[in-house]
């Protein structure tokens, strides 16, 4: 979906760990490596956040720790989209 519709995506929610060969950090790198529209990236994880400098270099605008409330995530996403 990302490859076909990247210019239409304004926010990306990604988990730190994902099934398959790419993790959230790898996906953030792929998003940031694309020229053009750059969405906000929100990383979600039950693990401790990576160093802040690494998050900033990847363009990750927020790090959300699990467990979280849907209302918290909703407010965060709304603030990124406004």
């Amino acid at each position: 979906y990302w490859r076909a519709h990247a210019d239409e995506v304004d926010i990306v929610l990604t988990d730190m760990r994902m099934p398959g060969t790419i993790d959230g950090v790898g996906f953030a790198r792929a998003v940031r490596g694309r020229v053009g529209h750059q969405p906000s990236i929100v990383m979600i994880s039950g693990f401790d956040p990576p160093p802040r400098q690494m998050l900033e270099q990847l363009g990750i605008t927020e790090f959300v720790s699990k467990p979280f409330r849907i209302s918290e995530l909703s407010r965060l996403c709304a603030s990124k989209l406004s």
Side-chain angles (χ1 to χ4, degrees), residues 10-11 40 75-82:
D10 292 322
I11 190 167
S40 291
R75 278 192 299 273
L76 173 66
C77 290
S79 74
K80 295 292 170 190
L81 295 174
S82 55

Side-chain angles (χ1 to χ4, degrees), residues 1-15 18 22-43 55-61:
Y1 184 88
W2 169 250
R3 287 185 194 128
H5 304 279
D7 289 337
E8 301 168 29
V9 175
D10 292 322
I11 190 167
V12 173
L13 302 175
T14 183
D15 204 0
M18 300 188 298
I22 192 169
D23 62 7
V25 171
F27 185 69
R29 283 190 179 113
V31 168
R32 286 295 171 233
R34 186 180 182 284
V35 175
H37 177 66
Q38 296 288 304
S40 291
I41 301 174
V42 177
M43 176 75 65
L55 294 175
E56 289 171 358
Q57 288 173 345
L58 292 170
I60 296 172
T61 58

